[in-house]
Amino acid sequence: MTDRSVTQDRAPQGGATPARRFGDAGLLAGLAILLVLALMPQITAVAGGSYVLNLVMKAMILAIAAISLDLLIGYSGLVSFGHAAFLGLGSYVTGIALTEGIYGALPILGLVLLICGGFALVTGAISLRTSGVYFIMITLAFGQMLFFALSSLSSYGGDDGLTLWDTPDLFGAYVFQTGSGLFYSTLVVLALTWLAVGRIAGSRFGRVLRAGKESPLRVGVVGFDLYRFRLAAYVIAGLFAGVAGFLMACHTEFINPSTASWQNSGTLIVMVILGGMGTRNGALLGALFVVLIEEALSRYTVDWKLIFGPMLVLIALFAKGGLANLLARVGGGR
Amino acid sequence: MSSTLFLIQLLNGAQYGVLLFLIAAGLTLVFGVMGFINLAHGVQYMIGAYLTFMYFGVTGNFLTALLLGLVTALCLGLALEALVFRHLYDRDHLDQVLATFGIILFVNEAVKVIWGPGTLTLPAPEFLSASLQLTDNLLYPVYRLALIVVGVLVAAGLYLVVTRTRVGMLIRAGASNADMVSALGINIRRLFMIVFGFGAMLAGFAGALAAPVFTLEPGMGDNLLIVAFVVIIIGGIGSIRGAFIAAILVGLIDTLGRSLATDAMNLIFDASAANQIGPSIASMLIYIFMAAVLFFRPQGLFPAKGSA
């Protein structure tokens, strides 16, 4: 009995209990963010107009990819530098299917999941044989491989990309057509992704991943085959990002190899880090923040990267924990 | 494919490999010794090219411009080290990725602002501007041949420095166990600084040499950086010998693959499908090669670290 209380007392230092306490606050905060997002069509109708609404949609789609990436970076300690590949792959599968005459959203999504899952399984199986810096560079290389493969698809636009003239329909309903239909579909997918990754992180599966981030050796000694857990996480993250790619193709009505570029993968990582890794709302906030700050800075100057770049350097040098942490601190946490 | 064309592709491949080696050499040392992931290394390549271009405009002499460009590239590398990198050696890889990604965004944009977004060209130096009659119907620019020779010389010099000198010994020792080197009374920070500055200069050198062959544009180093990563993964992080062999292999595979893939696919598929699949396969070849190497040897071909 005494032993148990001792271990329970020690648990908070490992981060379990604060996480749960913030988890509840985080759940509410996340729901609040989603609620605000859900009201964006009404809000932008009053101020901002469709331009801002489009921006919000772009941020929401990227947030889906960023949240799925957080499952790898934040919870599993796997710094994947090729996550944009799944965005690109998802959008290309969608675009190619539409061009080839498949218009049903369900078959297209099925293809997206199948192909992105397959790509994740193969590249993940090879990448996860390595760790640390090697893993970063291998995922980077695989991302780049896909980028060049997409660029060379000359009958689907090659380097220039391809404009899509159709949108997928769900049993005859055009819920993925640009406008409010796509907005609410994206919102639903975002909410589901946010919920699912939160659930996964809290589950036994997620605890193995998080333990593996702290010490792969101990997890192995305890008897878990960490490789399999990580591979499963890698595939899950790839599937979510693939769906984000599907939504992106519907939103922009255009597919472009640069979606899969490594700069885009870098931006996704920036979103996760800025928002706060391994936190309930970090990746969501990070994605919204990055898209908004890009927009704000580019209104101020064309060369907004001159400001954004040093900002990232300063954040890497001096900031810890990201936006979600800041929110928790301001919210009277600790 | 005729043997002449094959010879040209072989030379082009070797030349590409040599350039890759010059970039990868600094990268693999910085990586091996400091465990530092420097995404901004490609930016050093671009800086080298643009600086040489700028000095060429001022002096009109390629060699002087090259020399001045190298010195400036070294100074910029050292300045970056002191301002940013030095504070990130002990940090998580993620912080390093974030900071160096920020540097890429900044420098690429700065180059765009200073020199404009368009492409620029730098003429080859006059004394190397001729073409050499290699076979009856093959003219090959002397400059490109000189590039291969210079690259091989630098590689040999670098190999001698790393294997035969005291600094080289420290670098190798640092690559296998930096803490131990530090404990033995070596100022590891200064070693880091030297390696970093030198690596930046080598990348700049590669950029300057490549400038007359390729065109200059903002972000020109980004894609090469990724290929350089592939090279050092295949070669084994921290190994100069591995980087050289892998660079030449990657250069040859990529160049020959691009010219042979469509022909090879023609054997399997009909012409239109082959034209479609060939280039795709060609651009993926080096990554497939990397995956294959890693599958059998996760530490690369010539791992520098003994047991790890």
Side-chain angles (χ1 to χ4, degrees), chain B residues 18-275:
Chain B
V18 158
L19 280 180
L20 279 178
F21 168 73
L22 290 177
I23 303 171
L27 201 60
T28 200
L29 288 182
V30 167
F31 230 153
V33 181
M34 312 176 206
F36 188 94
I37 177 155
N38 181 16
L39 296 176
H41 199 70
V43 158
Q44 308 280 5
Y45 168 85
M46 175 179 69
I47 287 178
Y50 271 93
L51 284 176
T52 309
F53 176 83
M54 181 182 79
Y55 286 124
F56 183 77
V58 177
T59 63
N61 183 319
F62 185 83
L63 286 183
T64 322
L66 179 69
L67 204 67
L68 287 172
L70 282 187
V71 173
T72 320
L74 178 67
C75 294
L76 282 176
L78 289 176
L80 267 182
E81 201 269 349
L83 275 176
V84 180
F85 296 97
R86 185 174 295 177
H87 312 288
L88 290 168
Y89 290 147
D90 306 326
R91 295 285 200 83
D92 194 45
H93 289 313
L94 215 49
D95 285 332
Q96 300 169 352
V97 165
L98 187 66
T100 49
F101 188 68
I103 292 176
I104 295 179
L105 292 184
F106 176 78
V107 179
N108 277 348
E109 199 67 29
V111 165
K112 204 183 279 180
V113 170
I114 298 173
W115 282 286
T119 58
L120 300 169
T121 49
L122 182 70
E126 264 173 38
F127 63 97
L128 291 173
S129 62
S131 288
L132 207 65
Q133 190 89 31
L134 282 187
T135 60
D136 290 341
N137 50 3
L138 170 57
L139 276 174
Y140 201 76
V142 175
Y143 183 78
R144 287 172 174 246
L145 290 176
L147 212 158
I148 297 175
V149 173
V150 169
V152 171
L153 285 180
V154 170
L158 210 55
Y159 185 73
L160 284 179
V161 167
V162 170
T163 53
R164 295 275 182 272
T165 65
R166 184 176 160 75
V167 174
M169 183 188 73
L170 291 177
I171 290 174
R172 278 180 294 134
S176 57
N177 193 335
D179 291 338
M180 188 55 83
V181 175
S182 180
L184 289 173
I186 306 298
N187 186 345
I188 197 88
R189 291 283 168 153
R190 203 173 58 199
L191 184 71
F192 281 4
M193 201 180 75
I194 294 171
V195 171
F196 191 90
F198 196 66
M201 196 181 72
L202 271 182
F205 185 55
L209 287 185
V213 181
F214 304 115
T215 52
L216 285 77
E217 57 186 326
M220 62 190 272
D222 292 2
N223 286 335
L224 268 177
L225 172 81
I226 314 282
V227 185
F229 272 142
V230 170
V231 165
I232 69 174
I233 294 175
I234 292 175
I237 290 175
S239 160
I240 286 288
R241 186 170 53 132
F244 185 74
I245 294 172
I248 299 295
L249 277 176
V250 166
L252 287 176
I253 289 175
D254 192 58
T255 311
L256 290 178
R258 275 173 209 284
S259 58
L260 290 174
T262 307
D263 292 341
M265 288 301 123
N266 258 325
L267 301 176
I268 311 172
F269 302 100
D270 61 276
S272 71
N275 282 332

Side-chain angles (χ1 to χ4, degrees), chain A residues 62 64-73 78-90 119-120 139-140 142-144 146 233-242 244 259-262 264-266 268-269 272:
Chain A
L62 288 174
I64 297 168
I67 292 173
S68 69
L69 180 61
D70 194 29
L71 183 64
L72 299 179
I73 294 185
L78 300 168
V79 183
S80 166
F81 210 134
H83 208 57
F86 297 103
L87 264 182
L89 198 59
F119 185 70
T139 47
L140 186 62
F142 277 129
Q144 203 64 3
L146 189 86
Y234 194 80
V235 172
I236 293 170
L239 293 177
F240 278 116
T259 308
S261 70
W262 70 277
N264 234 3
S265 295
L268 286 176
I269 293 184
V272 172

Side-chain angles (χ1 to χ4, degrees), chain A residues 233-312:
Chain A
Y234 194 80
V235 172
I236 293 170
L239 293 177
F240 278 116
V243 175
F246 166 84
L247 291 170
M248 189 177 261
C250 297
H251 178 224
T252 54
E253 296 173 341
F254 183 69
I255 53 175
N256 190 319
S258 71
T259 308
S261 70
W262 70 277
Q263 286 90 343
N264 234 3
S265 295
T267 309
L268 286 176
I269 293 184
V270 167
M271 288 172 176
V272 172
I273 300 177
L274 275 185
M277 295 180 291
T279 54
R280 181 107 214 182
N281 304 312
L284 177 58
L285 282 170
L288 297 175
F289 179 76
V290 169
V291 172
L292 289 181
I293 199 131
E294 260 188 42
E295 180 62 24
L297 287 178
S298 62
R299 283 198 180 182
Y300 178 66
T301 164
V302 189
D303 307 304
W304 58 275
K305 284 178 186 164
L306 285 181
I307 305 168
F308 191 58
M311 232 173 78
L312 295 184

